[in-house]
Amino acid sequence: MASEVASQGHRGNLQVIVHSARQLAPADFKLLKKPSSDPYCVCSLGAQSFRTPTINENLNPTWEHPGSIIMGSFLPASVLKLMGETQVSEHDDTQNLHLLRFEVFDEDLMSADDSLGHCSVDLTDVFSRQEEWIQFELKLRPVPGMPAGGCLIVSACWEPAPFLPTYVLRIVSAIVFAVA
């Protein structure tokens, strides 16, 4: 089944849960309080992304924030061509997107947000284990000038788009032909 998905490009939903982070580096230093950060996480794949809420003054935030990234069209390229789409290829850009990226930031009100670190997940294993949640504990790579430290815990699940049976494709073809 995984080879079918790979040969046709990835079409479906990538479900992601950003669970938590641990031992983040402090980015905010206040006079009478312990150093802390106001962390949030951005998850991205290609041009699509989502963000967790900010948790104030916490170096061990728990978000439990779900997100979904839609990959490819839910209709096969042959059906899209029949329906008049002109820029359709059998192997769209989504088949080259195998790296799910995460970056944790410290939210600042008066200046640009500080990056606390970044990491990524190779999605090859996720794509091959369809409809199964896989949890990752990822070490955050610090940006220059920030102390090392921290890890991010996330889960991902690949839900492929259903392949349309031949009879449905024939019905769609007949309707498109009748309309044209």
Side-chain angles (χ1 to χ4, degrees):
M1 188 70 141
S3 61
E4 285 180 32
V5 174
S7 69
Q8 294 192 6
H10 297 294
R11 298 181 317 112
N13 279 321
L14 179 63
Q15 302 292 336
V16 179
I17 299 175
V18 180
H19 295 289
S20 61
R22 291 196 307 246
Q23 300 174 344
L24 293 176
D28 298 334
F29 299 93
K30 297 177 183 166
L31 223 68
L32 299 173
K33 293 185 177 182
K34 286 184 179 180
S36 66
S37 290
D38 304 317
Y40 67 90
C41 181
V42 174
C43 171
S44 61
L45 182 68
Q48 295 185 63
S49 66
F50 68 90
R51 174 197 152 140
T52 67
T54 301
I55 297 183
N56 294 321
E57 297 183 4
N58 198 324
L59 299 178
N60 299 293
T62 299
W63 293 288
E64 295 300 338
H65 186 79
S68 181
I69 295 175
I70 297 172
M71 296 183 69
S73 169
F74 279 80
L75 291 174
S78 56
V79 173
L80 290 173
K81 285 180 187 176
L82 284 172
M83 295 173 73
E85 288 290 326
T86 56
Q87 296 182 356
V88 177
S89 68
E90 290 294 330
H91 300 286
D92 61 20
D93 294 341
T94 60
Q95 73 180 8
N96 297 323
L97 299 176
H98 290 281
L99 222 52
L100 183 63
R101 300 177 192 280
F102 298 91
E103 187 161 8
V104 178
F105 291 92
D106 168 56
E107 186 172 73
D108 291 322
L109 297 176
M110 302 301 241
S111 62
D113 294 351
D114 304 313
S115 176
L116 299 176
H118 57 92
C119 54
S120 59
V121 170
D122 184 345
L123 293 173
T124 306
D125 192 34
V126 176
F127 290 141
S128 68
R129 294 166 60 184
Q130 298 174 11
E131 299 182 8
E132 179 182 338
W133 283 95
I134 302 171
Q135 185 167 316
F136 300 92
E137 187 167 327
L138 308 166
K139 184 167 176 48
L140 289 171
R141 291 185 293 278
V143 294
M146 286 297 290
C151 69
L152 185 66
I153 297 136
V154 300
S155 294
C157 177
W158 172 241
E159 298 173 346
F163 292 100
L164 297 177
T166 305
Y167 70 90
V168 174
L169 295 177
R170 287 186 184 146
I171 292 170
V172 171
S173 299
I175 292 170
V176 170
F177 180 73
V179 172

